[in-house]
Amino acid sequence: MKDYKKPYVIAEIGCNHKGEMAIAKELIKIAKIFGNADAVKFQKRNNKELLTEEQYYAPHPNASNSYGNTYGEHREYLEFDVKQHSELKAYCDEIGIVYSTSVWDTTSAKEIASLNPEFIKIPSACNNNFEMLGWLCDNYHGEIHISTGMTTKNETEILVAYFTEKGRNHDLVLYNCTSGYPVPFEDVCLLDINLLKQKFGDKVKHIGFSGHHLGIAVDIAAYTLGANIIERHYTIDRTWKGTDHAASLEPMGLRKLTRDLQAVYQALTFKSADILPIEQIQRDKLKNKKV
């Protein structure tokens, strides 16, 4: 019996679709048939609810990544409405990959919950929105995944205690995460996975890892440390305009990630005998019998 849970890979499309349904569906299709991912994930925002008027009408902090004259216009350009998300979920169901979305506000949480996905994600930036968390705990019955980037250890303890009080902690998945795009390796802080396991491993459903680093070696290490759910941003072309593309995997990177995680999963066992059958052949052939 394996001590390690099977790896589960989430290809985070986020807003890397550039506001185009055709690209969103292409990303879903590639994640399924080429990347072998278990799930894809989008993002949902009610920008007028989420942003102050000043933030909404301010220019994008990096004009070269903007899809509008203001930050609000940029966000609206990249936003799919709930009807479009329903279409994306239907397409995921059709080709056999799990659909999910990160929700950034209570209105978005209600809209996405109406689609009844298997899980809903709470970004690090919103994990202190207890109005939204409370509504989800009371009204949505799937898994609730929460990233802990830019979150103190005390705040994480408060989160888990809140879900425990609500009787929803066994539907909770906690992600180790460092919020940055991309994150240098020295700031990934993988050993915090051990802390999450020690403190909350028996209280929550799973421990996950949401990475914004380069390459896939770190993800393999995260899985080995006990984060069986691995989430990575994913795009067709890392040179496309937008904040997240540079820290995303392209299709071949996603394919290699799922391949390597499966290989490590199979390898993480103890020997079933001192001499395995594959070794016996070599032992009979090569072992010095004079010893």
Side-chain angles (χ1 to χ4, degrees):
M1 181 176 176
K2 277 188 172 289
D3 293 326
Y4 280 80
K5 298 175 182 177
K6 188 176 181 181
Y8 187 92
V9 176
I10 302 169
E12 155 112 56
I13 294 170
C15 300
N16 284 348
H17 48 70
K18 303 198 293 184
E20 299 182 30
M21 285 291 287
I23 293 177
K25 289 184 176 180
E26 184 71 7
L27 281 160
I28 294 170
K29 181 179 178 182
I30 293 171
K32 167 64 179 179
I33 66 173
F34 186 75
N36 300 309
D38 297 286
V40 292
K41 187 168 70 64
F42 293 91
Q43 295 184 16
K44 185 78 181 79
R45 293 171 170 87
N46 183 306
N47 294 301
K48 289 288 180 71
E49 179 179 334
L50 186 63
L51 301 171
T52 66
E53 186 172 348
E54 182 181 0
Q55 290 170 329
Y56 193 92
Y57 291 104
H60 192 289
N62 185 342
S64 63
N65 281 328
S66 184
Y67 286 89
N69 292 324
T70 67
Y71 186 69
E73 285 183 11
H74 163 77
R75 290 258 54 103
E76 300 290 8
Y77 185 90
L78 296 172
E79 193 65 35
F80 290 148
D81 62 28
V82 68
K83 184 177 179 181
Q84 289 172 304
H85 275 277
S86 180
E87 183 179 338
L88 292 172
K89 184 178 184 297
Y91 184 66
C92 288
D93 293 343
E94 178 186 333
I95 68 171
I97 191 169
V98 172
Y99 159 93
S100 186
T101 296
S102 291
V103 295
W104 288 68
D105 53 81
T106 304
T107 298
S108 297
K110 292 177 178 179
E111 289 177 336
I112 296 303
S114 73
L115 304 179
N116 197 30
E118 288 187 21
F119 69 94
I120 286 175
K121 179 80 183 296
I122 309 300
S124 299
C126 309
N127 65 19
N128 61 345
N129 184 342
F130 284 93
E131 176 193 337
M132 176 173 68
L133 295 177
W135 188 92
L136 286 169
C137 285
D138 293 341
N139 297 280
Y140 169 70
H141 302 296
E143 293 178 0
I144 300 173
H145 295 207
I146 300 184
S147 277
T148 60
M150 47 186 167
T151 302
T152 68
K153 291 178 175 61
N154 184 58
E155 288 169 338
T156 302
E157 290 181 3
I158 291 170
L159 264 175
V160 176
Y162 181 79
F163 274 78
T164 302
E165 290 169 10
K166 287 283 192 178
R168 296 302 307 275
N169 54 299
H170 293 299
D171 296 317
L172 178 62
V173 178
L174 277 185
Y175 288 70
N176 170 240
C177 177
T178 297
S179 299
Y181 305 88
V183 175
F185 294 123
E186 61 269 23
D187 288 336
V188 173
C189 303
L190 275 182
L191 293 181
D192 277 5
I193 292 171
N194 291 336
L195 300 180
L196 291 176
K197 284 180 61 183
Q198 290 164 14
K199 287 187 176 182
F200 310 118
D202 60 345
K203 295 182 176 69
V204 304
K205 187 166 187 178
H206 299 292
I207 301 298
F209 174 69
S210 179
H212 307 120
H213 51 279
L214 301 179
I216 60 174
V218 167
D219 306 281
I220 306 303
Y223 172 69
T224 306
L225 287 170
N228 59 296
I229 298 180
I230 304 294
E231 174 190 88
R232 288 297 305 273
H233 281 268
Y234 150 71
T235 185
I236 292 175
D237 187 340
R238 293 178 66 246
T239 66
W240 277 354
K241 182 171 76 172
T243 306
D244 292 344
H245 293 285
S248 299
L249 296 176
E250 291 181 338
M252 183 56 75
L254 180 63
R255 183 180 177 91
K256 289 179 178 179
L257 173 63
T258 58
R259 177 201 67 189
D260 289 357
L261 284 169
Q262 285 297 324
V264 171
Y265 171 64
Q266 293 178 51
L268 285 170
T269 59
F270 293 100
K271 279 193 172 184
S272 58
D274 285 345
I275 308 299
L276 295 173
I278 193 173
E279 292 181 303
Q280 189 63 55
I281 298 168
Q282 304 306 320
R283 180 182 174 92
D284 293 344
K285 178 180 176 183
L286 300 173
K287 198 80 168 182
N288 188 341
K289 296 179 181 178
K290 294 181 180 180
V291 175

